[in-house]
mmCIF file of all heavy atoms in Angstrom:
data_model
loop_
_atom_site.group_PDB
_atom_site.id
_atom_site.type_symbol
_atom_site.label_atom_id
_atom_site.label_comp_id
_atom_site.label_asym_id
_atom_site.label_seq_id
_atom_site.Cartn_x
_atom_site.Cartn_y
_atom_site.Cartn_z
ATOM 1 N N ALA A 195 58.255 193.403 -8.097
ATOM 2 C CA ALA A 195 59.588 193.737 -7.583
ATOM 3 C C ALA A 195 59.943 195.189 -7.897
ATOM 4 O O ALA A 195 60.508 195.911 -7.062
ATOM 5 C CB ALA A 195 60.627 192.795 -8.179
ATOM 6 N N ARG A 196 59.613 195.628 -9.104
ATOM 7 C CA ARG A 196 59.840 197.031 -9.482
ATOM 8 C C ARG A 196 58.963 197.951 -8.650
ATOM 9 O O ARG A 196 59.420 198.982 -8.138
ATOM 10 C CB ARG A 196 59.548 197.203 -10.983
ATOM 11 C CG ARG A 196 59.511 198.656 -11.456
ATOM 12 C CD ARG A 196 60.896 199.275 -11.432
ATOM 13 N NE ARG A 196 60.825 200.694 -11.738
ATOM 14 C CZ ARG A 196 60.738 201.660 -10.827
ATOM 15 N NH1 ARG A 196 60.688 201.345 -9.537
ATOM 16 N NH2 ARG A 196 60.706 202.915 -11.182
ATOM 17 N N GLN A 197 57.705 197.576 -8.485
ATOM 18 C CA GLN A 197 56.746 198.401 -7.741
ATOM 19 C C GLN A 197 57.155 198.554 -6.273
ATOM 20 O O GLN A 197 56.992 199.632 -5.683
ATOM 21 C CB GLN A 197 55.363 197.767 -7.839
ATOM 22 C CG GLN A 197 54.229 198.591 -7.271
ATOM 23 C CD GLN A 197 52.903 197.880 -7.454
ATOM 24 O OE1 GLN A 197 52.641 196.839 -6.855
ATOM 25 N NE2 GLN A 197 52.055 198.430 -8.309
ATOM 26 N N LEU A 198 57.710 197.488 -5.697
ATOM 27 C CA LEU A 198 58.116 197.524 -4.287
ATOM 28 C C LEU A 198 59.492 198.147 -4.078
ATOM 29 O O LEU A 198 59.952 198.285 -2.942
ATOM 30 C CB LEU A 198 58.105 196.103 -3.717
ATOM 31 C CG LEU A 198 56.736 195.431 -3.614
ATOM 32 C CD1 LEU A 198 56.867 193.990 -3.143
ATOM 33 C CD2 LEU A 198 55.823 196.213 -2.675
ATOM 34 N N GLY A 199 60.156 198.494 -5.168
ATOM 35 C CA GLY A 199 61.426 199.186 -5.057
ATOM 36 C C GLY A 199 62.629 198.306 -4.803
ATOM 37 O O GLY A 199 63.682 198.798 -4.394
ATOM 38 N N VAL A 200 62.508 196.984 -5.066
ATOM 39 C CA VAL A 200 63.641 196.084 -4.843
ATOM 40 C C VAL A 200 64.289 195.655 -6.163
ATOM 41 O O VAL A 200 65.196 194.820 -6.166
ATOM 42 C CB VAL A 200 63.217 194.838 -4.026
ATOM 43 C CG1 VAL A 200 62.802 195.250 -2.622
ATOM 44 C CG2 VAL A 200 62.092 194.076 -4.718
ATOM 45 N N LEU A 201 63.831 196.216 -7.266
ATOM 46 C CA LEU A 201 64.436 195.979 -8.579
ATOM 47 C C LEU A 201 64.548 197.315 -9.281
ATOM 48 O O LEU A 201 63.538 197.995 -9.503
ATOM 49 C CB LEU A 201 63.579 195.008 -9.406
ATOM 50 C CG LEU A 201 64.087 194.687 -10.813
ATOM 51 C CD1 LEU A 201 65.441 193.980 -10.768
ATOM 52 C CD2 LEU A 201 63.078 193.822 -11.572
ATOM 53 N N ALA A 202 65.776 197.702 -9.610
ATOM 54 C CA ALA A 202 66.015 198.996 -10.240
ATOM 55 C C ALA A 202 65.292 199.094 -11.580
ATOM 56 O O ALA A 202 65.192 198.097 -12.303
ATOM 57 C CB ALA A 202 67.516 199.198 -10.446
ATOM 58 N N PRO A 203 64.797 200.274 -11.935
ATOM 59 C CA PRO A 203 64.068 200.439 -13.202
ATOM 60 C C PRO A 203 64.846 199.941 -14.417
ATOM 61 O O PRO A 203 64.282 199.301 -15.304
ATOM 62 C CB PRO A 203 63.817 201.943 -13.273
ATOM 63 C CG PRO A 203 63.821 202.393 -11.851
ATOM 64 C CD PRO A 203 64.814 201.523 -11.151
ATOM 65 N N ARG A 204 66.136 200.226 -14.459
ATOM 66 C CA ARG A 204 66.938 199.813 -15.621
ATOM 67 C C ARG A 204 67.007 198.297 -15.721
ATOM 68 O O ARG A 204 66.886 197.728 -16.818
ATOM 69 C CB ARG A 204 68.348 200.398 -15.501
ATOM 70 C CG ARG A 204 69.288 200.004 -16.637
ATOM 71 C CD ARG A 204 70.632 200.692 -16.455
ATOM 72 N NE ARG A 204 71.228 200.385 -15.182
ATOM 73 C CZ ARG A 204 71.924 199.286 -14.920
ATOM 74 N NH1 ARG A 204 72.094 198.371 -15.855
ATOM 75 N NH2 ARG A 204 72.449 199.097 -13.721
ATOM 76 N N LEU A 205 67.188 197.617 -14.589
ATOM 77 C CA LEU A 205 67.233 196.158 -14.606
ATOM 78 C C LEU A 205 65.865 195.572 -14.940
ATOM 79 O O LEU A 205 65.762 194.569 -15.649
ATOM 80 C CB LEU A 205 67.718 195.626 -13.255
ATOM 81 C CG LEU A 205 69.165 195.942 -12.885
ATOM 82 C CD1 LEU A 205 69.502 195.377 -11.511
ATOM 83 C CD2 LEU A 205 70.117 195.396 -13.927
ATOM 84 N N HIS A 206 64.827 196.195 -14.437
ATOM 85 C CA HIS A 206 63.470 195.756 -14.763
ATOM 86 C C HIS A 206 63.232 195.816 -16.262
ATOM 87 O O HIS A 206 62.717 194.868 -16.870
ATOM 88 C CB HIS A 206 62.454 196.632 -14.025
ATOM 89 C CG HIS A 206 61.035 196.378 -14.426
ATOM 90 N ND1 HIS A 206 60.378 197.157 -15.359
ATOM 91 C CD2 HIS A 206 60.147 195.428 -14.034
ATOM 92 C CE1 HIS A 206 59.149 196.703 -15.526
ATOM 93 N NE2 HIS A 206 58.984 195.662 -14.734
ATOM 94 N N GLU A 207 63.612 196.903 -16.880
ATOM 95 C CA GLU A 207 63.416 197.070 -18.323
ATOM 96 C C GLU A 207 64.218 196.035 -19.108
ATOM 97 O O GLU A 207 63.726 195.469 -20.096
ATOM 98 C CB GLU A 207 63.805 198.480 -18.739
ATOM 99 C CG GLU A 207 62.853 199.558 -18.216
ATOM 100 C CD GLU A 207 63.384 200.958 -18.441
ATOM 101 O OE1 GLU A 207 64.409 201.097 -19.157
ATOM 102 O OE2 GLU A 207 62.789 201.916 -17.913
ATOM 103 N N SER A 208 65.460 195.790 -18.699
ATOM 104 C CA SER A 208 66.300 194.814 -19.394
ATOM 105 C C SER A 208 65.715 193.406 -19.301
ATOM 106 O O SER A 208 65.624 192.675 -20.298
ATOM 107 C CB SER A 208 67.714 194.818 -18.820
ATOM 108 O OG SER A 208 68.353 196.052 -19.056
ATOM 109 N N LEU A 209 65.316 193.011 -18.097
ATOM 110 C CA LEU A 209 64.766 191.676 -17.888
ATOM 111 C C LEU A 209 63.435 191.507 -18.609
ATOM 112 O O LEU A 209 63.162 190.456 -19.206
ATOM 113 C CB LEU A 209 64.600 191.409 -16.396
ATOM 114 C CG LEU A 209 65.908 191.237 -15.605
ATOM 115 C CD1 LEU A 209 65.642 191.325 -14.107
ATOM 116 C CD2 LEU A 209 66.581 189.914 -15.940
ATOM 117 N N LEU A 210 62.610 192.530 -18.574
ATOM 118 C CA LEU A 210 61.303 192.467 -19.233
ATOM 119 C C LEU A 210 61.461 192.345 -20.750
ATOM 120 O O LEU A 210 60.804 191.517 -21.392
ATOM 121 C CB LEU A 210 60.499 193.725 -18.885
ATOM 122 C CG LEU A 210 59.041 193.755 -19.333
ATOM 123 C CD1 LEU A 210 58.238 192.661 -18.639
ATOM 124 C CD2 LEU A 210 58.434 195.128 -19.037
ATOM 125 N N ALA A 211 62.341 193.155 -21.317
ATOM 126 C CA ALA A 211 62.549 193.117 -22.771
ATOM 127 C C ALA A 211 63.129 191.780 -23.206
ATOM 128 O O ALA A 211 62.690 191.183 -24.202
ATOM 129 C CB ALA A 211 63.468 194.264 -23.192
ATOM 130 N N ALA A 212 64.121 191.294 -22.468
ATOM 131 C CA ALA A 212 64.750 190.020 -22.825
ATOM 132 C C ALA A 212 63.757 188.872 -22.696
ATOM 133 O O ALA A 212 63.716 187.975 -23.548
ATOM 134 C CB ALA A 212 65.969 189.774 -21.937
ATOM 135 N N TYR A 213 62.952 188.880 -21.639
ATOM 136 C CA TYR A 213 61.984 187.806 -21.429
ATOM 137 C C TYR A 213 60.969 187.764 -22.569
ATOM 138 O O TYR A 213 60.667 186.694 -23.117
ATOM 139 C CB TYR A 213 61.274 188.007 -20.095
ATOM 140 C CG TYR A 213 60.407 186.835 -19.686
ATOM 141 C CD1 TYR A 213 60.962 185.704 -19.114
ATOM 142 C CD2 TYR A 213 59.022 186.878 -19.853
ATOM 143 C CE1 TYR A 213 60.177 184.628 -18.733
ATOM 144 C CE2 TYR A 213 58.226 185.806 -19.468
ATOM 145 C CZ TYR A 213 58.810 184.692 -18.907
ATOM 146 O OH TYR A 213 58.021 183.626 -18.536
ATOM 147 N N GLY A 214 60.446 188.923 -22.940
ATOM 148 C CA GLY A 214 59.475 188.973 -24.020
ATOM 149 C C GLY A 214 60.050 188.479 -25.336
ATOM 150 O O GLY A 214 59.398 187.729 -26.072
ATOM 151 N N PHE A 215 61.278 188.877 -25.637
ATOM 152 C CA PHE A 215 61.903 188.475 -26.903
ATOM 153 C C PHE A 215 62.191 186.971 -26.929
ATOM 154 O O PHE A 215 61.878 186.281 -27.905
ATOM 155 C CB PHE A 215 63.193 189.260 -27.110
ATOM 156 C CG PHE A 215 63.836 189.008 -28.437
ATOM 157 C CD1 PHE A 215 63.386 189.645 -29.576
ATOM 158 C CD2 PHE A 215 64.888 188.119 -28.546
ATOM 159 C CE1 PHE A 215 63.965 189.402 -30.814
ATOM 160 C CE2 PHE A 215 65.476 187.859 -29.774
ATOM 161 C CZ PHE A 215 65.015 188.505 -30.911
ATOM 162 N N LEU A 216 62.766 186.451 -25.859
ATOM 163 C CA LEU A 216 63.103 185.029 -25.807
ATOM 164 C C LEU A 216 61.862 184.154 -25.846
ATOM 165 O O LEU A 216 61.836 183.119 -26.519
ATOM 166 C CB LEU A 216 63.911 184.739 -24.541
ATOM 167 C CG LEU A 216 65.340 185.291 -24.512
ATOM 168 C CD1 LEU A 216 65.902 185.251 -23.101
ATOM 169 C CD2 LEU A 216 66.230 184.515 -25.459
ATOM 170 N N ARG A 217 60.824 184.541 -25.135
ATOM 171 C CA ARG A 217 59.593 183.762 -25.141
ATOM 172 C C ARG A 217 58.938 183.781 -26.526
ATOM 173 O O ARG A 217 58.334 182.785 -26.948
ATOM 174 C CB ARG A 217 58.620 184.308 -24.099
ATOM 175 C CG ARG A 217 58.928 183.874 -22.677
ATOM 176 C CD ARG A 217 58.914 182.371 -22.535
ATOM 177 N NE ARG A 217 58.870 181.940 -21.148
ATOM 178 C CZ ARG A 217 59.085 180.712 -20.746
ATOM 179 N NH1 ARG A 217 59.389 179.768 -21.625
ATOM 180 N NH2 ARG A 217 59.022 180.380 -19.474
ATOM 181 N N LYS A 218 59.039 184.886 -27.221
ATOM 182 C CA LYS A 218 58.450 184.957 -28.558
ATOM 183 C C LYS A 218 59.110 183.954 -29.489
ATOM 184 O O LYS A 218 58.428 183.221 -30.215
ATOM 185 C CB LYS A 218 58.606 186.375 -29.122
ATOM 186 C CG LYS A 218 58.019 186.543 -30.518
ATOM 187 C CD LYS A 218 58.076 187.995 -30.980
ATOM 188 C CE LYS A 218 59.495 188.432 -31.276
ATOM 189 N NZ LYS A 218 59.540 189.791 -31.882
ATOM 190 N N ILE A 219 60.440 183.882 -29.453
ATOM 191 C CA ILE A 219 61.141 182.919 -30.306
ATOM 192 C C ILE A 219 60.854 181.487 -29.852
ATOM 193 O O ILE A 219 60.594 180.597 -30.669
ATOM 194 C CB ILE A 219 62.660 183.185 -30.300
ATOM 195 C CG1 ILE A 219 62.965 184.549 -30.922
ATOM 196 C CG2 ILE A 219 63.398 182.087 -31.062
ATOM 197 C CD1 ILE A 219 64.435 184.860 -31.029
ATOM 198 N N GLU A 220 60.877 181.255 -28.548
ATOM 199 C CA GLU A 220 60.623 179.915 -28.024
ATOM 200 C C GLU A 220 59.229 179.429 -28.415
ATOM 201 O O GLU A 220 59.056 178.279 -28.843
ATOM 202 C CB GLU A 220 60.770 179.930 -26.504
ATOM 203 C CG GLU A 220 60.698 178.558 -25.864
ATOM 204 C CD GLU A 220 60.891 178.621 -24.367
ATOM 205 O OE1 GLU A 220 60.554 179.659 -23.755
ATOM 206 O OE2 GLU A 220 61.360 177.632 -23.792
ATOM 207 N N ASN A 221 58.231 180.297 -28.299
ATOM 208 C CA ASN A 221 56.868 179.912 -28.660
ATOM 209 C C ASN A 221 56.748 179.613 -30.148
ATOM 210 O O ASN A 221 56.065 178.669 -30.552
ATOM 211 C CB ASN A 221 55.885 181.023 -28.273
ATOM 212 C CG ASN A 221 55.717 181.147 -26.769
ATOM 213 O OD1 ASN A 221 56.031 180.225 -26.032
ATOM 214 N ND2 ASN A 221 55.238 182.286 -26.308
ATOM 215 N N ARG A 222 57.425 180.398 -30.975
ATOM 216 C CA ARG A 222 57.366 180.154 -32.407
ATOM 217 C C ARG A 222 58.046 178.830 -32.763
ATOM 218 O O ARG A 222 57.568 178.088 -33.626
ATOM 219 C CB ARG A 222 58.017 181.311 -33.163
ATOM 220 C CG ARG A 222 57.839 181.250 -34.682
ATOM 221 C CD ARG A 222 56.369 181.160 -35.071
ATOM 222 N NE ARG A 222 55.581 182.245 -34.555
ATOM 223 C CZ ARG A 222 55.344 183.386 -35.198
ATOM 224 N NH1 ARG A 222 55.866 183.577 -36.395
ATOM 225 N NH2 ARG A 222 54.602 184.321 -34.648
ATOM 226 N N LEU A 223 59.135 178.513 -32.094
ATOM 227 C CA LEU A 223 59.796 177.220 -32.307
ATOM 228 C C LEU A 223 58.844 176.071 -31.995
ATOM 229 O O LEU A 223 58.771 175.079 -32.731
ATOM 230 C CB LEU A 223 61.040 177.114 -31.417
ATOM 231 C CG LEU A 223 62.311 177.809 -31.892
ATOM 232 C CD1 LEU A 223 63.337 177.842 -30.762
ATOM 233 C CD2 LEU A 223 62.891 177.111 -33.106
ATOM 234 N N GLN A 224 58.124 176.188 -30.894
ATOM 235 C CA GLN A 224 57.226 175.119 -30.484
ATOM 236 C C GLN A 224 56.052 174.968 -31.445
ATOM 237 O O GLN A 224 55.599 173.863 -31.725
ATOM 238 C CB GLN A 224 56.741 175.387 -29.058
ATOM 239 C CG GLN A 224 57.855 175.266 -28.025
ATOM 240 C CD GLN A 224 57.462 175.747 -26.654
ATOM 241 O OE1 GLN A 224 56.367 176.247 -26.454
ATOM 242 N NE2 GLN A 224 58.363 175.612 -25.688
ATOM 243 N N ILE A 225 55.566 176.090 -31.977
ATOM 244 C CA ILE A 225 54.455 176.040 -32.937
ATOM 245 C C ILE A 225 54.910 175.409 -34.249
ATOM 246 O O ILE A 225 54.238 174.538 -34.810
ATOM 247 C CB ILE A 225 53.899 177.457 -33.176
ATOM 248 C CG1 ILE A 225 53.175 177.960 -31.923
ATOM 249 C CG2 ILE A 225 52.953 177.465 -34.375
ATOM 250 C CD1 ILE A 225 52.812 179.417 -31.978
ATOM 251 N N VAL A 226 56.067 175.853 -34.740
ATOM 252 C CA VAL A 226 56.545 175.398 -36.052
ATOM 253 C C VAL A 226 56.913 173.922 -36.033
ATOM 254 O O VAL A 226 56.587 173.165 -36.951
ATOM 255 C CB VAL A 226 57.743 176.245 -36.510
ATOM 256 C CG1 VAL A 226 58.395 175.644 -37.755
ATOM 257 C CG2 VAL A 226 57.289 177.672 -36.796
#
Side-chain angles (χ1 to χ4, degrees):
R196 170 70 186 94
Q197 187 179 68
L198 294 175
V200 294
L201 179 63
R204 178 177 57 82
L205 293 179
H206 173 263
E207 291 170 9
S208 295
L209 290 166
L210 188 64
Y213 189 80
F215 185 80
L216 289 166
R217 281 301 195 193
K218 180 174 71 173
I219 296 183
E220 187 178 28
N221 290 341
R222 188 56 57 92
L223 280 168
Q224 292 170 356
I225 290 170
V226 171

